[in-house]
Amino acid sequence: MELVNSITHLKLTHFFIIFIFLSLNLSSEVEAEATEVLYKGFKATPNPQISNIQRILSDPSGNYSLCFVRVENDQLSLAIVHVQSFESIWVANLTRLAKWADPTELFFNGSLVLMDSKSGVFWSTYTNGDRVWLSNNSNLQVQKVENGDTSPFVLWQSFNFPSNTLVENQNFTSAMSLVSSNGLYSMRLGLDFFGLYVNDEPGQNRGRMYWRHKALEAKADVIEGKGPIYAVLRSNGYFGMYQNESVPVDVESFNSFQQPVSGVRRIRVEPDGNLKGYFWDGINWILDYQLIKETCELPSPCGAYGLCRPGKGCSCLDNNTEYSSDGCIHPPENQNSRDFCGAHDMYKRLSRNGVELPNKELMDYKKMNTFQECQSACEANCTCWGVVYTNTSGFCYLLNYYPMQSLVGVSDESKMGFFKIREAIGEDKMEVRRSNQAREIRH
Ligand SMILES: *[C@@H]1O[C@H](CO)[C@@H](O)[C@H](O)[C@H]1NC(C)=O
Ligand SMILES: *[C@@H]1O[C@H](CO)[C@@H](O)[C@H](O)[C@H]1NC(C)=O
Ligand SMILES: *[C@@H]1O[C@H](CO)[C@@H](O)[C@H](O)[C@H]1NC(C)=O
Ligand SMILES: *[C@@H]1O[C@H](CO)[C@@H](O)[C@H](O)[C@H]1NC(C)=O
Ligand SMILES: *[C@@H]1O[C@H](CO)[C@@H](O)[C@H](O)[C@H]1NC(C)=O
Ligand SMILES: *[C@@H]1O[C@H](CO)[C@@H](O)[C@H](O)[C@H]1NC(C)=O
Ligand SMILES: *[C@@H]1O[C@H](CO)[C@@H](O)[C@H](O)[C@H]1NC(C)=O
Ligand SMILES: *[C@@H]1O[C@H](CO)[C@@H](O)[C@H](O)[C@H]1NC(C)=O
Ligand SMILES: *[C@@H]1O[C@H](CO)[C@@H](O)[C@H](O)[C@H]1NC(C)=O
């Protein structure tokens, strides 16, 4: 009897604890979902108890939230998150990350502003609106509401400032770019194509293009003077480029094209430089499209001075170097200089047969009679990092201003490369000795 009693008691206590736990959980959920509109006077500060994501504003479906996202333990970024997967769909372009602590705050005073009283403003919409709202397809808007107006005027929307992702029916115009989360790669529209670029390479004012997808113009032509093209990811599974009407000038179909899928779709520039499309099946994001199909065609699948062989993975251009996860150059590039034009710049030379540039059709070349001539042109120019020569065509591809990225390994041994490898500056004496050597090499 005693035993039975105590077991019942135990069960009841358990039940009670679970009940309290559930209702606590529920109340916080309800609270989180209740915030669907922010009005003037709204203010939020990061909660020190929360370790990953703090929801601030939810869309009517509860699928998306504007959140504080914890970065590297004690820093904060502002993002729109797909709640079920914790995937960031949009990230505010802060001047720099804020602290996950006092005095960081997000408030709405007509502008949605993230700031702290010491460092100033990290980010602002610079508007004079009445309310902030998140649409059920993840578009954050600052709206002006006229008296009794049912269709509010949009002063600012996150759809105009995409990060690395586009969602269904979001307009991507030639004024925008998608930038990979690591900042290395971007996608932009040209006159009749979309291109993928390596960011921040001087001497190339828009970055170096490594992939170009020209509009097929099967259903409509791109007409000069008819205005710039724009691109939209459509709900029935294709990424279309348009000029100023509803008939696309190009259609990139996803695997699930014209098949009804359960959830939303998105397309994203990935940290490896690919462009991938996904749909949400309720549990996972399913990969549905991939622009660059061959790994070796990516801008740098094996890192600087790496060699990518289709189906065989990575090795190093220098076959005395073992390929490892930190790449082929040890120590890695430790100087900011983009060239070998400084007095103390020196390099080792490396030659290798059976190599080719990925996407060489996008690269500039000069015609030369021999590999030696091609190599000499590079040795004579301190902005040159290397050359790749094709014996049959006589094309000499000169690579300027940036270290060699991965090349593609081919069986044709008449395709040859010559590369400069920066030598690390050692102790002072060493430096003098070596720079003398370098001068010898150059003269
Ligand atoms: C973020 O802002 C900086 C400077 O304000 C700008 O140069 C950069 O292009 C922006 N990045 C994106 C992805 O819009
Ligand atoms: C909102 O606050 C910011 C930061 O203090 C300020 O610069 C801005 O003028 C304010 N905007 C309005 C509309 O009051
Ligand atoms: C999303 O919102 C729009 C209007 O803003 C509405 O027409 C549509 O039905 C909503 N979608 C879902 C799935 O609730
Ligand atoms: C996208 O652009 C088209 C054409 O410019 C326009 O008709 C449409 O309203 C835009 N859609 C959104 C969501 O801004
Ligand atoms: C759309 O194209 C027509 C010509 O076909 C042009 O007259 C019109 O100005 C264009 N509209 C926009 C918004 O570019
Ligand atoms: C929210 O997500 C669920 C589950 O994926 C989906 O069925 C629903 O259509 C989504 N709602 C909106 C408005 O996208
Ligand atoms: C390294 O490559 C060179 C030519 O590219 C070749 O002659 C040599 O045998 C290779 N060494 C090894 C260890 O594979
Ligand atoms: C070196 O190459 C760059 C890029 O092709 C070119 O602009 C420059 O004129 C060259 N310098 C010399 C000395 O040939
Ligand atoms: C390159 O081409 C020349 C003549 O076109 C030929 O003599 C030479 O053998 C070729 N070299 C290689 C490595 O194929």
Side-chain angles (χ1 to χ4, degrees):
M1 197 64 184
E2 282 270 290
L3 193 69
V4 172
N5 248 343
S6 65
I7 288 175
T8 316
H9 182 74
L10 200 74
K11 276 186 178 162
L12 273 173
T13 320
H14 251 108
F15 183 75
F16 192 61
I17 290 173
I18 289 168
F19 179 75
I20 289 177
F21 185 73
L22 272 178
S23 44
L24 273 179
N25 229 10
L26 267 175
S27 67
S28 69
E29 272 302 297
V30 167
E31 214 172 72
E33 281 174 12
T35 320
E36 282 183 16
V37 182
L38 309 181
Y39 294 101
K40 278 184 187 167
F42 166 84
K43 193 176 114 176
T45 53
N47 178 346
Q49 243 93 74
I50 292 176
S51 62
N52 48 9
I53 279 174
Q54 180 176 342
R55 293 167 72 170
I56 296 164
L57 172 71
S58 288
D59 81 284
S61 72
N63 287 352
Y64 299 101
S65 267
L66 176 69
C67 300
F68 289 146
V69 177
R70 215 185 251 274
V71 183
E72 288 166 3
N73 277 328
D74 58 350
Q75 292 181 302
L76 176 151
S77 82
L78 184 66
I80 296 168
V81 171
H82 179 257
V83 174
Q84 285 164 288
S85 62
F86 276 14
E87 195 74 58
S88 289
I89 300 293
W90 175 86
V91 181
N93 187 9
L94 311 183
T95 50
R96 63 194 153 95
L97 291 174
K99 276 206 191 92
W100 191 289
D102 259 3
T104 296
E105 60 179 16
L106 177 77
F107 60 84
F108 182 61
N109 65 350
S111 300
L112 191 61
V113 181
L114 181 72
M115 68 175 290
D116 85 35
S117 49
K118 282 190 217 140
S119 320
V121 174
F122 298 110
W123 178 81
S124 170
T125 58
Y126 298 107
T127 45
N128 192 3
D130 297 320
R131 64 181 192 196
V132 182
W133 187 70
L134 184 60
S135 75
N136 65 10
N137 61 348
S138 80
N139 191 9
L140 181 70
Q141 298 184 332
V142 177
Q143 303 176 334
K144 191 90 195 158
V145 188
E146 251 71 86
N147 266 353
D149 195 347
T150 44
S151 57
F153 187 70
V154 177
L155 297 177
W156 182 96
Q157 56 182 355
S158 60
F159 271 17
N160 289 348
F161 305 92
S163 314
N164 59 359
T165 301
L166 293 176
V167 299
E168 281 166 55
N169 301 321
Q170 177 175 1
N171 279 351
F172 184 66
T173 71
S174 53
M176 300 175 184
S177 61
L178 292 187
V179 180
S180 61
S181 58
N182 55 12
L184 291 179
Y185 307 108
S186 60
M187 179 176 126
R188 287 192 299 270
L189 291 169
L191 280 178
D192 60 356
F193 65 90
F194 69 78
L196 292 171
Y197 301 81
V198 183
N199 289 337
D200 189 33
E201 278 176 4
Q204 324 255 344
N205 56 359
R206 300 188 78 201
R208 175 174 56 90
M209 194 197 300
Y210 61 87
W211 196 273
R212 176 193 178 103
H213 178 87
K214 195 179 172 301
L216 207 54
E217 303 177 59
K219 292 184 177 156
D221 291 336
V222 176
I223 296 165
E224 228 185 294
K226 207 178 164 189
I229 60 169
Y230 62 98
V232 184
L233 170 58
R234 292 298 181 197
S235 303
N236 54 351
Y238 68 91
F239 186 58
M241 284 195 273
Y242 300 80
Q243 209 164 13
N244 69 4
E245 53 202 290
S246 55
V247 183
V249 297
D250 188 70
V251 169
E252 271 290 271
S253 301
F254 287 16
N255 298 333
S256 64
F257 180 52
Q258 286 182 341
Q259 293 166 29
V261 299
S262 48
V264 288
R265 298 176 184 278
R266 65 184 165 96
I267 193 165
R268 177 169 82 176
V269 177
E270 302 288 335
D272 66 2
N274 212 340
L275 179 71
K276 290 185 179 175
Y278 304 84
F279 70 85
W280 176 250
D281 75 348
I283 299 165
N284 293 302
W285 288 103
I286 307 297
L287 183 65
D288 200 20
Y289 168 75
Q290 151 163 343
L291 175 65
I292 302 177
K293 278 142 196 118
E294 286 293 333
T295 303
C296 290
E297 306 267 274
L298 289 169
S300 197
C302 301
Y305 299 92
L307 184 65
C308 185
R309 290 172 199 273
K312 290 183 190 151
C314 293
S315 58
C316 290
L317 281 177
D318 180 356
N319 59 9
N320 295 316
T321 307
E322 195 80 39
Y323 180 80
S324 79
S325 55
D326 12 293
C328 292
I329 291 295
H330 310 287
E333 196 59 33
N334 57 358
Q335 282 150 323
N336 296 326
S337 172
R338 299 293 192 147
D339 55 39
F340 298 93
C341 300
H344 299 298
D345 289 332
M346 42 211 154
Y347 57 83
K348 285 186 296 196
R349 301 129 141 232
L350 173 68
S351 297
R352 176 89 193 221
N353 292 356
V355 294
E356 193 169 46
L357 288 165
N359 309 306
K360 61 180 189 305
E361 61 281 3
L362 296 175
M363 308 284 296
D364 283 336
Y365 61 84
K366 289 193 177 115
K367 262 202 115 155
M368 305 227 177
N369 293 325
T370 61
F371 176 57
Q372 281 67 33
E373 194 184 329
C374 177
Q375 174 174 341
S376 303
C378 185
E379 295 246 41
N381 193 329
C382 65
T383 67
C384 179
W385 284 81
V387 288
V388 175
Y389 185 72
T390 304
N391 197 39
T392 45
S393 62
F395 290 177
C396 172
Y397 298 89
L398 286 137
L399 307 160
N400 284 292
Y401 299 113
Y402 58 92
M404 296 308 310
Q405 296 306 311
S406 306
L407 296 187
V408 183
V410 293
S411 53
D412 182 350
E413 290 286 317
S414 76
K415 296 186 169 173
M416 292 168 275
F418 161 77
F419 318 103
K420 297 178 182 174
I421 303 177
R422 185 185 294 287
E423 291 208 277
I425 292 175
E427 289 160 14
D428 284 356
K429 278 181 197 160
M430 196 74 156
E431 193 179 322
V432 174
R433 194 173 59 80
R434 279 187 175 174
S435 64
N436 285 338
Q437 275 178 355
R439 265 185 222 114
E440 262 163 47
I441 288 175
R442 283 211 206 117
H443 289 160

